[in-house]
Amino acid sequence: LAGLIGLLVYILILIPVLIAALQSLAIDAITAPVSAMLAKMLAILPNLFGAAIVLAVAYVLAKIISELAAKLLAGMGFDRLWERLGVCKGCAEGSAASPSGPANANATGPAAAGGSKTPSQLVGLIIIAAIMLFALIEAANMLQLSMLADIIFEFTIFAGHVLMGLIILAIGIYLANLAFGAVVSSGMSASRLP
């Protein structure tokens, strides 16, 4: 971090010195375009620092909101809800992301070291992603990169549609399990498929 700050200070000092040195040469064919380029670089720096601050503040806030939401959802029984609805098995224990079985009994890596996520933690990660996407849009607008901001905005809309599709799919799985339970409990001889 100290090296990065030192490099930034060096650049901030070097750019005005280069502009002054080039202007003192009085060779308009060289100094005018280079001075204009260096002046634009110097003008971008405040917006760049502002965008970095927006992203840093958004990340800190996203982490705090994510942790609060994950703990609130876990406390409300959100993890057990998904298992009761039949959407996933073992969600409350956090094994939804890692399959269990003899092949994974001696597994190493994130799943073995507690790296699997509960549904409430996954919602927290989605919250972080959503907040950071909106912060990226604002940072791109601050840097006057309107096309990039538009692309990120369209991706955010697409991600919202995918999330809504997943919610609809989960409701469909719940309704299918409910219908299956009703048919099986009716006691008909052909209620289970072979």
Side-chain angles (χ1 to χ4, degrees), residues 1-187:
L1 183 63
L4 179 66
I5 292 173
L7 178 66
L8 288 175
V9 169
Y10 175 76
I11 290 171
L12 287 175
I13 293 171
L14 182 65
I15 290 176
V17 169
L18 281 176
I19 292 172
L22 288 173
Q23 287 176 349
S24 69
L25 290 175
I27 305 173
D28 291 334
I30 296 174
T31 58
V34 173
S35 294
M37 179 191 67
L38 291 174
K40 284 183 182 179
M41 285 176 54
L42 196 58
I44 288 176
L45 288 178
N47 291 341
L48 189 62
F49 288 133
I53 289 171
V54 165
L55 290 175
V57 168
Y59 181 73
V60 169
L61 288 175
K63 287 292 279 185
I64 292 169
I65 293 170
S66 166
E67 290 292 323
L68 287 174
K71 288 180 181 178
L72 180 68
L73 288 173
M76 291 174 34
F78 183 73
D79 298 335
R80 292 184 305 276
L81 174 72
W82 288 99
E83 190 170 343
R84 281 187 278 142
L85 293 178
V87 175
C88 65
K89 303 295 180 206
C91 290
E93 292 83 27
S95 60
S98 62
S100 59
N104 280 345
N106 297 324
T108 58
S116 59
K117 304 286 184 195
T118 62
S120 59
Q121 291 170 334
L122 290 176
V123 169
L125 290 175
I126 291 171
I127 290 172
I128 289 175
I131 291 173
M132 289 308 295
L133 280 173
F134 287 114
L136 278 171
I137 292 170
E138 187 57 36
N141 282 330
M142 288 178 73
L143 294 173
Q144 299 171 353
L145 301 172
S146 59
M147 291 185 70
L148 179 63
D150 291 342
I151 290 171
I152 296 170
F153 179 76
E154 292 298 323
F155 177 77
T156 304
I157 297 294
F158 174 72
H161 290 163
V162 169
L163 186 61
M164 186 58 67
L166 289 174
I167 291 170
I168 292 171
L169 184 65
I171 292 170
I173 290 172
Y174 167 69
L175 292 175
N177 285 335
L178 191 66
F180 175 76
V183 169
V184 168
S185 68
S186 69

